[in-house]
Amino acid sequence: MRITIITVCYNRSSTIEKAIKSVLNQNYQNIEYIIIDGNSTDGTQKIIEKYRDRLSQYISEPDKGMYDAINKGLHLATGDVIGLMHSDDEFYDEKVISTIVKRFNFEKNIDGVYGDGIYVSNDTEERLIRNRIGGAFSLQKIKAGWLPLHPTVYLKKTIIDQYGLYNLDFKIASDTEFLLRYLYKYKIKMSYINTYIVKMRMGGMSTNIKRVFEVLYEDYKIYKFHGLTAFLVVFLKKTNALRQYLVH
């Protein structure tokens, strides 16, 4: 089984190397690693070039934002299963991809998997900020504001080919629309892996406190777009998130 991992980045010289190393250091060998850079100007490209001979594909050019860059990676992907490694993040350990492959091999009829993740401080101490335990999948949980942590989600390429790419109408929270479309609208078959998949650093687009209200508004539009009681779902989603910050 070939696993495609896509990293998109723009001016992430302080974190990109850890992200790259965490992919290259996986103990599973059959990995297609694609990096899409948005024409960085801070030295990110120079860091990526150090590993170019170990990358399957590398593009550096202007784009229309993170989700446009992810879509470029998806167009290039040839693996049986596809997942993301954000440029601020890294895998929890070197066995993550092996664990994901074992689940796909064990449950032949599933369309995707997801697991747990942690948020840590963006400093050398890497203090635990938030614990994201995925738990078993259910449509009722989605209606109450739950979604699996996006960077822990790995989907079969055939499913992505069937149900489409990230919607560029949503600039900040298109991952929410993507997951709702797949899990709620099309009800694909997901399997929960009860283990940590990813370590995320505070300060990326999804964790930047300055953008909280923008994300809230876009989440509202997305849930409304999919026919859910948008205000209530967004309220429950953010309440649950706050609880994870307070209790870990």
Side-chain angles (χ1 to χ4, degrees):
M1 179 180 291
R2 194 178 203 199
I3 306 296
T4 296
I5 300 172
I6 300 168
T7 293
V8 304
C9 58
Y10 179 69
N11 288 346
R12 284 292 184 267
S13 60
S14 63
T15 59
I16 186 65
E17 191 159 29
K18 282 189 175 182
I20 292 172
K21 285 182 175 180
S22 79
V23 175
L24 298 180
N25 290 338
Q26 289 295 296
N27 65 8
Y28 187 78
Q29 298 302 309
N30 196 4
I31 292 176
E32 175 184 55
Y33 191 25
I34 299 172
I35 297 183
I36 310 294
D37 174 68
N39 201 24
S40 293
T41 58
D42 70 336
T44 295
Q45 292 189 57
K46 187 175 181 180
I47 295 170
I48 297 171
E49 287 288 349
K50 290 165 52 179
Y51 301 94
R52 188 161 192 169
D53 63 338
R54 300 181 66 186
L55 304 178
S56 305
Q57 297 270 5
Y58 168 46
I59 294 175
S60 184
E61 63 185 18
D63 53 50
K64 298 174 184 176
M66 181 176 74
Y67 299 111
D68 179 43
I70 293 174
N71 284 347
K72 289 180 182 181
L74 291 174
H75 281 299
L76 294 172
T78 64
D80 303 293
V81 171
I82 304 173
L84 304 177
M85 169 53 63
H86 291 325
S87 56
D88 293 311
D89 306 338
E90 60 186 292
F91 284 121
Y92 189 77
D93 59 35
E94 74 282 356
K95 299 177 289 185
V96 167
I97 297 301
S98 294
T99 301
I100 289 170
V101 169
K102 286 177 184 177
R103 180 58 58 91
F104 275 106
N105 286 333
F106 182 70
E107 296 187 57
K108 300 290 187 181
N109 64 332
I110 60 175
D111 300 312
V113 304
Y114 66 95
D116 304 328
I118 58 172
Y119 291 82
V120 298
S121 58
N122 190 11
D123 53 32
T124 55
E125 294 180 10
E126 293 190 345
R127 292 172 290 102
L128 177 63
I129 303 295
R130 181 182 176 190
N131 201 12
R132 272 292 302 268
I133 303 300
F137 174 83
S138 79
L139 289 176
Q140 285 304 118
K141 284 170 65 176
I142 290 179
K143 291 177 182 178
W146 173 89
L147 284 172
L149 184 60
H150 183 226
T152 74
V153 174
Y154 282 71
L155 300 173
K156 288 181 176 176
K157 184 179 187 299
T158 53
I159 290 298
I160 294 175
D161 290 342
Q162 184 175 358
Y163 295 130
L165 306 179
Y166 289 79
N167 187 336
L168 300 187
D169 290 337
F170 302 106
K171 305 300 182 185
I172 303 172
S174 188
D175 51 320
T176 295
E177 193 284 322
F178 182 88
L179 291 175
L180 279 175
R181 188 185 342 138
Y182 278 66
L183 277 59
Y184 181 72
K185 181 178 181 180
Y186 293 116
K187 299 177 176 60
I188 68 170
K189 186 173 179 58
M190 297 292 287
S191 180
Y192 168 55
I193 301 175
N194 184 18
T195 191
Y196 287 113
I197 302 294
V198 68
K199 178 166 63 175
M200 303 177 68
R201 288 182 182 81
M202 300 298 292
M205 189 166 78
S206 63
T207 62
N208 191 329
I209 194 68
K210 295 178 181 178
R211 309 193 76 168
V212 166
F213 291 105
E214 295 176 65
V215 173
L216 280 171
Y217 179 60
E218 194 155 284
D219 271 352
Y220 174 84
K221 291 194 297 182
I222 289 167
Y223 280 103
K224 187 175 181 180
F225 177 75
H226 281 285
L228 290 159
T229 309
F231 181 82
L232 176 61
V233 175
V234 171
F235 174 78
L236 292 171
K237 180 180 181 179
K238 299 309 175 185
T239 301
N240 289 333
L242 179 61
R243 186 178 302 117
Q244 290 163 0
Y245 281 110
L246 296 175
V247 181
H248 55 253

